[in-house]
């Protein structure tokens, strides 16, 4: 196994086994369910220029973003506090470790 393969295996384990890991249902065209995407959900508190609020994010493997054709405006449904919540992907924040943070907007 190459180092790159090991990193991909470790990332897959991470996004499935963190305490905040959740399965999102991807609806890339807004209506038809495509697949389950594992990721790490967070609802971060942010404050900017005297405005504050919650910023939901979902960290996934970058390969999942590419494999499933996720784009801005893709819809994902995530179980949050026993409710299935629909979010729209507003921004992608890829990093150099093979993970991408999706900045979400609740629908």
């Amino acid at each position: 196994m190459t180092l790159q393969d090991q990193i991909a295996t470790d990332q897959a384990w991470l996004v499935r086994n963190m305490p905040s890991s959740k399965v999102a249902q991807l609806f890339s065209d807004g209506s038809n369910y495509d697949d389950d995407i594992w990721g790490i959900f967070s609802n971060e508190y942010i404050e900017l220029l005297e405005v504050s609020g919650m910023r939901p994010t979902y960290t996934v493997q970058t390969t999942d973003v590419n494999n499933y054709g996720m784009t801005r405006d893709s819809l994902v449904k995530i179980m949050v506090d026993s409710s299935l919540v629909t979010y729209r992907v507003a921004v992608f924040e890829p990093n150099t470790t093979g993970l991408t943070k999706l900045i979400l907007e609740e629908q």
Side-chain angles (χ1 to χ4, degrees):
M1 180 181 285
T2 67
L3 178 59
Q4 188 172 7
D5 291 338
Q6 183 61 50
I7 290 170
T9 299
D10 291 347
Q11 289 170 344
W13 183 91
L14 176 71
V15 298
R16 286 173 173 79
N17 293 288
M18 292 290 293
S20 56
S21 291
K22 296 182 181 290
V23 175
Q25 296 173 342
L26 172 65
F27 293 78
S28 59
D29 71 353
S31 61
N32 293 322
Y33 168 69
D34 293 321
D35 215 331
D36 290 336
I37 308 292
W38 278 95
I40 301 169
F41 179 77
S42 178
N43 204 8
E44 305 167 348
Y45 175 80
I46 60 168
E47 188 172 330
L48 179 64
L49 301 174
E50 299 182 18
V51 177
S52 62
M54 302 305 286
R55 181 177 95 158
T57 65
Y58 195 61
T59 302
V60 299
Q61 288 183 272
T62 302
T63 54
D64 284 344
V65 171
N66 299 330
N67 291 343
Y68 294 106
M70 296 178 75
T71 62
R72 288 188 71 211
D73 297 327
S74 288
L75 297 179
V76 293
K77 294 186 179 187
I78 302 173
M79 188 66 69
V80 179
D81 298 327
S82 302
S83 297
L84 195 59
V85 181
T86 301
Y87 296 97
R88 181 184 71 82
V89 177
V91 177
F92 291 91
E93 290 184 357
N95 63 29
T96 58
T97 66
L99 298 174
T100 297
K101 183 183 284 189
L102 309 178
I103 309 302
L104 306 173
E105 292 180 350
E106 189 169 344
Q107 295 299 289

